[in-house]
Structures are given as C-alpha cells and as structure tokens.
Amino acid sequence: MAAQHHTTRRTGVGAPRGRAAVAVLAVGTLALAGCSAIGADDGATPEPGEEGGGTVVLLTHDSFALSEVLVAQFEADTGLTLEQRAPGDGGALVNQLVLTKDAPLGDVVFGIDTTFASRAIDEGVLEPYTSPLAGDDVTRYAVDDAGSLTAIDVGDVCVNVDVAWFAAAGLPEPQTLEDLADPVYRDLLVVTDPSTSSPGLAFLLATVGAFGEDGWVDYWSALRDNGVKVAAGWSDAYYVDFSGPSSEGDRPLVVSYASSPPYEVPEGATVAPTRAMLDTCFRQVEYAGVLAGAANPEGARAVVDWLLSPEVQADIPQSMYVYPVDTTVELPAGWAQWAPVAPEPFEVDPAAITAHRDAWIRTWTDTVIG
C-alpha cells in the first residue's frame, strides 16, 4: 500500500502516499543501513517465548512511518522495544521474506500488499493470527480463511499529474491510460518496476484489468516506445524523477497514489499542485502478519493489535497518506477534495494474480526492459 507514501510524511508509501518527505528520506536512510532501531538500546533479540518484554523486530517497506509518540506509547504499554528493519519497497520486502524464511529476519511484517499477498502465503512465511481488533472492515479484505494476513490500510495506486508543469508547458493534462501512450506525452511518465515495487505491480495490474490478457502487452510496448522511464521503487520515482513540488525531477507524470496530492498542498492553499488520474487506478491493501518461526511471536501479535488500534489507525492518513482500514476514522481536512478514492478502480481476480503474476512480470520485463 506500499504502501505511498509521504511522511510528514509520511507517512507515506510514501509519504505522499504519499508519505512525507522527511520521514521517507529518514526511513530510506535506515533501509540503506540495513536496519533501524526505534527506542532500542542494544538491539538484542528476545529469548524464544519471552513475553511482556524484550525486542520485537518489525520488517517493513522503506516508506513505513508512524508518529514517534505512538511508538513510545506502544513500548511503554507493552514493555517491548520495537526494532524496525526495512529491506526495500513492498516487492523487495516479500522477496526477502521468502529468501530468509528458514531463518526469519524479524518477528512481524507490515507492508505486504494485495499484489504480493498470495506469494507470501504460498511460500509459508506467515503464522496465522486473528487479532481481537479485526472487525468487519478488516475481514472484508481477508486474503485467506486462516488469517495469515491482517489488513491495515487501503490506497489507490494511480498516475499522478504535476498540474503546474502542464500549465506552464501549455499542454492539456492526460486523463486516461490511453492518453499516456500519445506521442504528445513522450518522455513524461515514470513508473516503477513491478518486480521490485508493489505500486509498480499494482499499476501493471491496472493495465491488465484495463486491456485484458490480449491487450496489456501491446499497451506497454506503446509506453516503451513513448519513452516511459522505469525506477526501481516508489521513492526514487516520486522524489527523484517526478517534477512535483516535493520532488527533484523533470517528469510530470508518476505512478503514485490517489492520496498523494494532499501532501503537496501548501498550508492555507485552496488548490492542489498535483492530482491523481482516477481513471488509471488499482486498489491496493497493505497487510501485517506474524512471521513463521518468529523469535518473539507474542510481541509480533502485539504489534498487529497495535496497528489496528484506534490511535494508529487515526495516525495512518497523516503519517502514511493512505486510508486506514477502519472506516470510522475521521480523515484529515481536504482529503474529500484532494484525495478521493477512485470510483471504479481496475480489478484483476486474485486467483488470476496468483496464477499469472510471475509470468506477467517476466513478460513486462521482456517488453519494457528488454
């Protein structure tokens, strides 16, 4: 889900998911370091079976961020030290879970999304757990009947537009997926690699849903010929290649989230400098789960419960710029105007994703990368 965003995000998937720039950069730095400790002293792992204390290791993507106050309160309430490790984007996260499943790098994971959920379950990296806080808003997004994953947040992956760039260039803004292949928009779009990025895979699935098995490859051939740029992960695409206000690049079209634009609105402004193309979206749910073979399974379950708590759910929109799974949470001012959900996001049957995901990624790679 991936989740976006921006931390203040992000939080974000970024943080625009935005997740906010400062937070995203901070988390990215930690990711490069290999691991980070939040409130940790010596980073020691707990004794197996230890309850009510010790360290619990959270594996997540490099856009994860929550209020430090909430983290401190979690540690005070549970007696646990929360250590965070971020091996990369959502896709890279699942790859690491699979590669290390016989000697897991942590106890609990957050950031497995719709596009990679079935792979994580099929590879046996998760220990089923149903939180007592998992109500109807959570169970509606269940991936299996065992409770292998718990839904935490929801976001629409969509192409974002730098409105100011198009106004200055005197070009009409694109509206549809088909528009992106028009030569008038040559060399303006940056996407993320679906083999390493969960938003990238979500956007690939949007094109599968839009054009079908017989048409999506031709569509990507057209994007390739129209100069599409591919970034490894969301942070690089949004903060390095995109031309938006919080970014450094020169491409005014980027794969991000429908909830990214509010992050870009200056305080007191009434107009957003970016917008999401709501006719290009794929709905992405981000999940948490207890890792099979966790050194601290009790601590892992406590983290899942914490992520579903009212306090964390209320923090998610501001910290990660995605929608909390809890629909009773009051959303930030401006979201109704600048972060509407897609009315009809493209869909792909979960069974089809499971059956064809790897083949679709290989075909995409052959078509776009060569």
Side-chain angles (χ1 to χ4, degrees):
M1 341 146 139
Q4 185 181 28
H5 328 251
H6 312 273
T7 18
T8 314
R9 258 183 213 312
R10 198 202 181 156
T11 169
V13 118
R17 171 224 204 193
R19 298 157 180 198
V22 174
V24 170
L25 292 175
V27 175
T29 301
L30 295 175
L32 292 174
C35 97
S36 67
I38 303 176
D41 43 13
D42 59 2
T45 56
E47 292 298 322
E50 183 177 354
E51 299 180 16
T55 296
V56 58
V57 178
L58 170 65
L59 298 184
T60 186
H61 51 55
D62 58 10
S63 296
F64 175 79
L66 285 173
S67 164
E68 293 181 3
V69 172
L70 289 177
V71 174
Q73 189 62 55
F74 168 78
E75 294 183 328
D77 290 344
T78 63
L80 292 162
T81 294
L82 181 65
E83 179 181 329
Q84 177 183 316
R85 298 176 182 174
D89 205 338
L93 171 63
V94 174
N95 289 340
Q96 283 296 307
L97 293 179
V98 173
L99 290 172
T100 61
K101 65 181 180 180
D102 293 331
L105 299 176
D107 303 300
V108 60
V109 60
F110 167 79
I112 297 175
D113 83 329
T114 310
T115 61
F116 285 99
S118 61
R119 184 184 180 206
I121 292 172
D122 292 344
E123 292 285 351
V125 303
L126 299 161
E127 182 71 29
Y129 171 62
T130 300
S131 170
L133 299 180
D136 291 343
D137 285 336
V138 173
T139 57
R140 66 181 294 202
Y141 293 114
V143 182
D144 62 9
D145 294 333
S148 298
L149 288 167
T150 300
I152 303 298
D153 64 57
V154 181
D156 287 337
V157 174
C158 319
V159 174
N160 277 214
V161 178
D162 180 353
V163 174
W165 187 99
F166 281 95
L171 284 178
E173 298 171 21
Q175 303 297 325
T176 67
L177 288 172
E178 289 85 352
D179 288 346
L180 300 175
D182 189 317
V184 74
Y185 302 115
R186 181 181 301 277
D187 298 332
L188 300 186
L189 173 65
V190 57
V191 303
T192 47
D193 190 329
S195 68
T196 56
S197 165
S198 58
L201 181 52
F203 185 63
L204 168 58
L205 293 175
T207 65
V208 173
F211 301 108
E213 185 65 28
D214 297 330
W216 74 267
V217 178
D218 289 340
Y219 176 72
W220 277 98
S221 295
L223 289 185
R224 177 201 62 207
D225 295 343
N226 210 36
V228 67
K229 182 174 183 178
V230 179
W234 178 89
S235 295
D236 282 343
Y238 198 93
Y239 290 115
V240 178
D241 296 309
F242 186 43
S243 62
S246 65
S247 310
E248 301 175 351
D250 57 5
R251 294 204 169 216
L253 300 169
V254 63
V255 170
S256 191
Y257 292 79
S259 49
S260 295
Y263 169 76
E264 302 291 359
V265 179
E267 185 175 355
T270 59
V271 177
T274 66
R275 71 170 180 89
M277 295 170 58
L278 296 182
D279 290 332
T280 67
C281 304
F282 183 88
R283 186 146 298 159
Q284 183 185 58
V285 180
E286 286 187 311
Y287 296 90
V290 177
L291 292 176
N296 191 350
E298 290 293 331
R301 289 189 279 270
V303 170
V304 175
D305 295 344
W306 174 62
L307 292 172
L308 286 178
S309 68
E311 295 79 11
V312 170
Q313 288 288 296
D315 189 62
I316 282 174
Q318 294 285 12
S319 294
M320 299 208 259
Y321 271 72
V322 284
Y323 285 87
V325 71
D326 184 349
T327 58
T328 68
V329 169
E330 183 177 357
L331 297 172
W335 274 47
Q337 178 180 0
W338 295 314
V341 296
E344 296 183 9
F346 292 109
E347 297 179 350
V348 179
D349 189 315
I353 297 176
T354 300
H356 303 295
R357 178 184 54 243
D358 292 344
W360 286 340
I361 291 174
R362 286 194 298 270
T363 299
W364 181 93
T365 301
D366 291 342
T367 301
V368 181
I369 305 298

